[in-house]
Amino acid sequence: MTGYLYQCELALLELARRSWHDPTVEVRMELLDDIEFLDPDKTPQELLQAKHREAAGPLSETGKDFWRSVASWIDALKHLSDPSDAAMPILRLVSTQTAPADTFFRYLSAGPERDETKALQRMEQVAGDDKGPDTTAKNRELFLNLTPARRQELVRAITVNDAAPVMSDLDPRLAKELGITPSDHAQAALEEIKGWWYGMAVKLLERKNPQRMRASVSAQELMCRRDEVTGRYIGKNLPITETLRNLTEAEIAGYTDRLVVTQMRWIGLPDDEVAMHLRDYHYARAQRSEWLRTFKITPERIDEYESELHYEWETAFRRRTRRLHDGVSEEERRSIGQEILDATMDRVADTPLRPGSVTAPWIGTGSAHGLSDQAATAHPDRQLGWHPDYKNRCKNPDETQEQ
């Protein structure tokens, strides 16, 4: 079990390390290898085998950890288009065990002792030894069955990283790579990022449910989550890049048939108020899109934020409709709807998108209107409206638009 958890956390550590040099790099797990790193075109740059052993003894040249990795790489490379030397991905073994002197592990290291010629000669010698253990016989034979040129290509691509930190030593290294400095909140921030990552890992490993699975996670996404978490503890505000101005008549006309406008018409708002609310909706949507595009915030946090806005609306809605009865006139219902809208706007204007920071009021009010625009199709926990009977009206919005 520790080995599986180690693989998951090592993927996070490696992704954080790469983020400083290439924020576009992406990671996936258990497809071609334990861990894979891809370029933006989804081409594998590196296939990584993670081997965790609590008792950090020496690596064995005939051991299962190495030769099973070799067999896995040979199989994985069959699924790639015959890579040339330049396109061959790095094949990396990360092990908590140590590489003894004068073994092919040392010759395959990334340090000054690397010698690919000696590594190949020694690997061929070990692979062809009839006295080798049966547990790796098929894997060693698979290596020997490659053409000499292919064996040479394979060895050139292999890198062995020995003496890797064990599971219990990963946190300090992860904090450093994430740029989390020692503070009262450092551990809490780290645990929160790891919690998010384990959720991502489940989606990476999900194969049966297309709605849950993720193809990969990018370093940009990880850095965005890091900024969200650390920003919460230091009260860092999201940058505002949109400049508010009144919408033109043409811009307002573009929303005429949208449910966001229909919902305001149902409660009898005059044109100037509709235009005011549409301005918030228009710019909140643009600003959120900019934050998502530039990885200032994650879709997961947007979803959490919308849940918080929905809660504020529900409080306002229920307080004003709990004693409503069938005899209430349409004029009164519209008046109640306007009260619901006004109360919701007051409540959501102070709801920060990033907890612990300050968010421009129009982000909250505009985002609430965004939810009203989706009331006919959204999940029940995201549906909201202003008119007390908005749910029934949303079933046939065209028929009730002029009511």
Side-chain angles (χ1 to χ4, degrees), residues 260 264 267 269 273 276-278 280-281 305 309 312-313 316 320 337-351 360-372 384-386:
V260 62
M264 288 188 275
I267 60 173
L269 285 193
E273 286 196 43
M276 177 188 71
H277 288 294
L278 274 180
D280 290 0
Y281 169 65
Y305 179 61
L309 299 183
E312 299 297 345
W313 161 84
R320 288 159 180 80
Q338 291 183 20
E339 291 180 16
I340 293 168
L341 172 61
D342 292 341
T344 300
M345 295 296 102
D346 289 341
R347 296 176 70 94
V348 302
D350 295 328
T351 303
W362 50 270
I363 297 293
T365 57
S367 296
H369 281 299
L371 292 176
S372 77
L384 64 76
W386 318 122

Side-chain angles (χ1 to χ4, degrees), residues 237-244 287 290-291 358-360 362-363:
N237 298 329
L238 287 162
I240 297 295
T241 57
E242 294 292 323
T243 302
L244 285 186
Q287 185 64 77
E290 171 68 10
W291 285 334
V358 177
T359 302
W362 50 270
I363 297 293

Side-chain angles (χ1 to χ4, degrees), residues 135-340:
T135 53
T136 61
K138 289 184 178 180
N139 298 329
R140 289 183 284 117
E141 183 181 2
L142 190 64
F143 172 72
L144 290 176
N145 286 340
L146 297 175
T147 65
R150 192 59 169 166
R151 287 201 295 269
Q152 189 175 45
E153 283 182 350
L154 187 74
V155 169
R156 278 205 296 259
I158 296 174
T159 296
V160 174
N161 292 149
D162 70 322
V166 295
M167 184 74 172
S168 57
D169 293 335
L170 285 181
D171 275 7
R173 298 187 182 221
L174 179 57
K176 181 179 179 181
E177 293 297 348
L178 287 170
I180 298 177
T181 57
S183 69
D184 293 340
H185 305 296
Q187 190 60 38
L190 182 62
E191 292 299 332
E192 193 168 339
I193 293 171
K194 287 171 64 175
W196 166 81
W197 173 251
Y198 272 106
M200 290 292 102
V202 170
K203 293 179 180 180
L204 288 176
L205 296 171
E206 178 65 69
R207 296 287 185 264
K208 296 181 180 179
N209 187 346
Q211 294 181 332
R212 281 189 53 81
M213 68 178 293
R214 286 283 300 262
S216 59
V217 177
S218 71
Q220 288 172 317
E221 290 179 274
L222 173 58
M223 293 300 98
C224 181
R225 174 56 73 167
R226 180 206 62 184
D227 291 345
E228 282 182 352
V229 172
T230 56
R232 185 179 311 136
Y233 290 111
I234 63 176
K236 184 178 180 181
N237 298 329
L238 287 162
I240 297 295
T241 57
E242 294 292 323
T243 302
L244 285 186
R245 60 168 176 78
N246 291 329
L247 300 185
T248 65
E249 291 185 6
E251 288 172 323
I252 293 173
Y255 291 110
T256 300
D257 298 328
R258 296 286 290 267
L259 186 55
V260 62
V261 172
T262 301
Q263 290 238 43
M264 288 188 275
R265 296 298 187 198
W266 286 341
I267 60 173
L269 285 193
D271 289 348
D272 57 345
E273 286 196 43
V274 170
M276 177 188 71
H277 288 294
L278 274 180
R279 179 194 62 188
D280 290 0
Y281 169 65
H282 179 90
Y283 285 106
R285 188 171 66 163
Q287 185 64 77
R288 285 170 37 156
S289 295
E290 171 68 10
W291 285 334
L292 288 169
R293 186 183 65 80
T294 57
F295 294 93
K296 296 295 189 300
I297 200 160
T298 59
E300 291 79 14
R301 176 55 201 158
I302 291 288
D303 185 66
E304 293 168 0
Y305 179 61
E306 290 182 341
S307 178
E308 293 163 11
L309 299 183
H310 188 274
Y311 171 82
E312 299 297 345
W313 161 84
E314 188 174 26
T315 301
F317 186 85
R318 292 189 181 280
R319 285 180 178 176
R320 288 159 180 80
T321 59
R322 62 176 178 265
R323 293 188 179 89
L324 201 64
H325 54 82
D326 293 341
V328 175
S329 68
E330 177 57 24
E331 184 178 355
E332 291 178 280
R333 289 173 184 272
R334 289 186 174 188
S335 178
I336 291 172
Q338 291 183 20
E339 291 180 16
I340 293 168

